[in-house]
Amino acid sequence: MNKQIKEEVCASCGNPIIDGFNDCCDFIAKHQGLPDPDDIIESMPNSGQDLRDFRQAMSKAFLQTQIHLEHMVYLDKKNWSEHHELSKFIFGSSDRQMLFWMFAIDPIGEGFSPKTAAQYLRRDRTSVSKELTTMHDLKLIYRNTKEGFQRYYLPSKKLTDSALWFAEYYVDMTLRVTEEPARDRFFKYREAEQSFFKDLKKRGRDAQ
């Protein structure tokens, strides 16, 4: 009686493996099995774990550039707050910062009242009202004089000019740090990742 030879099958798809490969093998697996060393491409991943390690290394390198950016912005805000009353108020808390940016919305319509500002920021009305009074004292906002909107505030030119200046500052700081290769690499990698999984999800929906 002939001894039955056990057929080797792929653990992923169950198809028979011939010469070490089957149809479901990706390029990494097939590349590893190339018999001629001259055909091996240098600096290729050998497994999915290599790709995970590669992504993790890029992510960690990017993190260091982000820390550098946050540190520079922190020091600048600290310096401004020590020398300028306006900056001291704005950067005194994250709530105040968002209150400041909120008034730079364009178009802003009739402005914001304590009630609508609190709703927009998802904060309690009392604390928002107090900060609006301080902003008014700093001449960052002024009362809307239109009939029916006297409780609303509008941004002063001082506020909109300051908001534009800070926006330009953030652009310059971001560009300066983005020049670091580690930052640019991860941005491009993440963009490719998002595009791939978005298309994958769309193909899955279309197949249903």
Side-chain angles (χ1 to χ4, degrees):
M1 180 182 291
N2 293 331
K3 186 177 180 180
Q4 187 176 5
I5 299 174
K6 186 177 181 180
E7 186 179 58
E8 188 180 3
V9 297
C10 174
S12 297
C13 67
N15 291 327
I17 295 176
I18 303 172
D19 294 330
F21 302 107
N22 68 21
D23 289 340
C24 82
C25 285
D26 61 12
F27 180 75
I28 292 176
K30 291 179 180 179
H31 178 261
Q32 281 183 287
L34 293 175
D36 189 343
D38 291 336
D39 293 334
I40 300 297
I41 301 172
E42 293 184 0
S43 304
M44 281 285 293
N46 293 317
S47 66
Q49 185 59 49
D50 283 351
L51 294 176
R52 293 176 73 92
D53 292 343
F54 170 62
R55 189 191 190 286
Q56 183 76 350
M58 280 200 299
S59 179
K60 286 184 175 181
F62 173 85
L63 172 60
Q64 299 312 305
T65 71
Q66 187 64 29
I67 292 170
H68 180 48
L69 172 62
E70 296 292 347
H71 183 229
M72 288 192 296
V73 173
Y74 163 78
L75 291 178
D76 282 344
K77 287 181 177 180
K78 183 175 182 294
N79 180 57
W80 298 334
S81 297
E82 289 171 352
H83 296 89
H84 303 285
E85 195 66 25
L86 183 148
S87 294
K88 183 179 179 180
F89 171 79
I90 294 172
F91 301 122
S93 71
S94 58
D95 285 339
R96 290 179 185 177
Q97 285 186 61
M98 195 58 238
L99 192 62
F100 168 79
W101 290 116
M102 181 189 75
F103 273 101
I105 292 173
D106 185 24
I108 198 170
E110 301 299 340
F112 286 94
S113 67
K115 180 181 178 180
T116 58
Q119 290 172 340
Y120 179 82
L121 299 169
R122 297 181 185 178
R123 294 175 53 196
D124 68 279
R125 181 173 174 176
T126 302
S127 63
V128 170
S129 181
K130 289 179 180 177
E131 289 177 351
L132 289 175
T133 299
T134 303
M135 290 182 73
H136 184 265
D137 293 340
L138 290 170
K139 296 184 173 21
L140 290 171
I141 55 177
Y142 62 92
R143 289 277 190 182
N144 188 334
T145 57
K146 186 175 179 180
E147 184 67 29
F149 292 94
Q150 287 90 342
R151 290 186 57 78
Y152 283 67
Y153 291 96
L154 290 166
S156 66
K157 192 172 186 305
K158 181 179 180 180
L159 185 144
T160 54
D161 285 348
S162 296
L164 281 172
W165 189 92
F166 286 131
E168 295 273 2
Y169 161 82
Y170 284 125
V171 169
D172 287 353
M173 292 297 288
T174 302
L175 285 174
R176 188 186 308 175
V177 179
T178 302
E179 291 174 358
E180 298 183 31
R183 193 171 181 86
D184 185 53
R185 275 197 296 265
F186 192 67
F187 268 121
K188 289 178 179 177
Y189 179 87
R190 185 67 183 126
E191 182 181 22
E193 219 173 34
Q194 288 181 338
S195 177
F196 173 80
F197 288 111
K198 182 179 179 181
D199 290 345
L200 193 66
K201 188 175 181 180
K202 184 177 183 298
R203 289 199 297 271
R205 286 199 305 266
D206 292 344
Q208 292 176 358

